[in-house]
Amino acid sequence: DQQVKQNSPSLSVQEGRISILNCDYTNSMFDYFLWYKKYPAEGPTFLISISSIKDKNEDGRFTVFLNKSAKHLSLHIVPSQPGDSAVYFCAASARVTGNQFYFGTGTSLTVIP
Amino acid sequence: NAGVTQTPKFRVLKTGQSMTLLCAQDMNHEYMYWYRQDPGMGLRLIHYSVGEGTTAKGEVPDGYNVSRLKKQNFLLGLESAAPSQTSVYFCASSYNGNVLTFGAGSRLTVL
């Protein structure tokens, strides 16, 4: 049973516009969330994280929002660039029960020049 | 600056054969993980280790064994490979369990 879900397999956005990638989770014990970016034939690379004590975290063009009541997080990329085209995974863990990260199925983002 | 290195990068096996995937990290990380990635399934945790000499099961441990005899190495073994184990395998490590650093992946095909 998938505890972390990314319901949009793909997303296309024009260069310079905002990209919004969504992620839902079911386990209320999750308290730490990450986004990873993956290019073909490479391993995922860490992008940004957020703890459940926050509802927003920013790092340059990337912002992650967390809505605990809705068990939903989103990644905003502004402005989107062609180099952002990749597969994005969200991941969640419940740190009190160990260090297992559960990943979503990924969203493939294409930024059109 | 090697980070996390996986060997081999590609391997083709016949059903019933055995093999070992090696993961090595040079960052002195305590935590190490093995994931598999399948189409439409995302990354699923197979086994993980929170320190030298320790291992624990993840979401999909059946058919795999692991060992962490040295802090820098985490081995994933398939004793009798099955076609269902055809996948891309990723190793990751972490200093404190918060952020994972991944290797480039090992693509395994079981015929």
Side-chain angles (χ1 to χ4, degrees):
Chain A
D1 191 27
Q2 198 81 18
Q3 298 191 55
V4 178
K5 300 178 184 178
Q6 293 176 257
N7 292 319
S8 298
S10 62
L11 175 68
S12 290
V13 171
Q14 288 290 134
E15 180 178 4
R17 306 295 291 267
I18 184 171
S19 295
I20 300 176
L21 296 94
N22 294 303
C23 180
D24 297 292
Y25 60 96
T26 58
N27 190 339
S28 58
M29 296 292 290
F30 288 153
D31 59 0
Y32 188 64
F33 307 87
L34 304 93
W35 284 94
Y36 279 83
K37 176 179 179 179
K38 185 183 180 304
Y39 292 117
E42 294 183 11
T45 55
F46 170 71
L47 202 53
I48 193 169
S49 65
I50 189 166
S51 165
S52 60
I53 62 173
K54 293 185 173 183
D55 54 18
K56 177 182 173 181
N57 190 26
E58 263 182 282
D59 184 1
R61 297 185 297 113
F62 302 91
T63 303
V64 56
F65 295 92
L66 175 62
N67 182 333
K68 290 184 287 292
S69 60
K71 295 191 181 68
H72 177 84
L73 63 156
S74 60
L75 174 68
H76 292 210
I77 306 173
V78 183
S80 300
Q81 299 173 353
D84 296 330
S85 297
V87 177
Y88 289 78
F89 292 97
C90 67
S93 75
R95 284 179 288 187
V96 69
T97 60
N99 296 97
Q100 294 192 54
F101 281 93
Y102 295 87
F103 282 77
T105 52
T107 296
S108 178
L109 173 66
T110 302
V111 180
I112 304 163
Chain B
N1 293 342
V4 178
T5 304
Q6 295 181 227
T7 52
K9 288 185 169 40
F10 302 94
R11 184 74 187 269
V12 178
L13 287 178
K14 293 182 180 178
T15 297
Q17 286 185 318
S18 63
M19 75 156 297
T20 300
L21 295 174
L22 171 63
C23 177
Q25 53 95 2
D26 61 1
M27 297 171 284
N28 201 35
H29 284 175
E30 289 292 336
Y31 300 82
M32 296 189 76
Y33 308 79
W34 276 108
Y35 285 87
R36 60 179 287 175
Q37 184 190 12
D38 302 293
M41 301 293 288
L43 289 154
R44 292 181 294 168
L45 182 63
I46 305 171
H47 286 279
Y48 65 104
S49 168
V50 299
E52 181 179 320
T54 74
T55 62
K57 294 180 180 179
E59 297 174 81
V60 288
D62 294 342
Y64 305 95
N65 56 74
V66 288
S67 64
R68 183 101 181 267
L69 298 179
K70 293 183 179 180
K71 185 177 184 178
Q72 63 267 34
N73 295 337
F74 196 29
L75 279 63
L76 178 71
L78 286 73
E79 288 187 351
S80 179
S84 60
Q85 294 177 304
T86 294
S87 187
V88 180
Y89 292 85
F90 288 99
C91 176
S93 70
S94 173
Y95 174 70
N96 56 6
N98 280 349
V99 175
L100 306 182
T101 301
F102 282 87
S106 297
R107 183 175 292 275
L108 175 65
T109 302
V110 182
L111 302 176

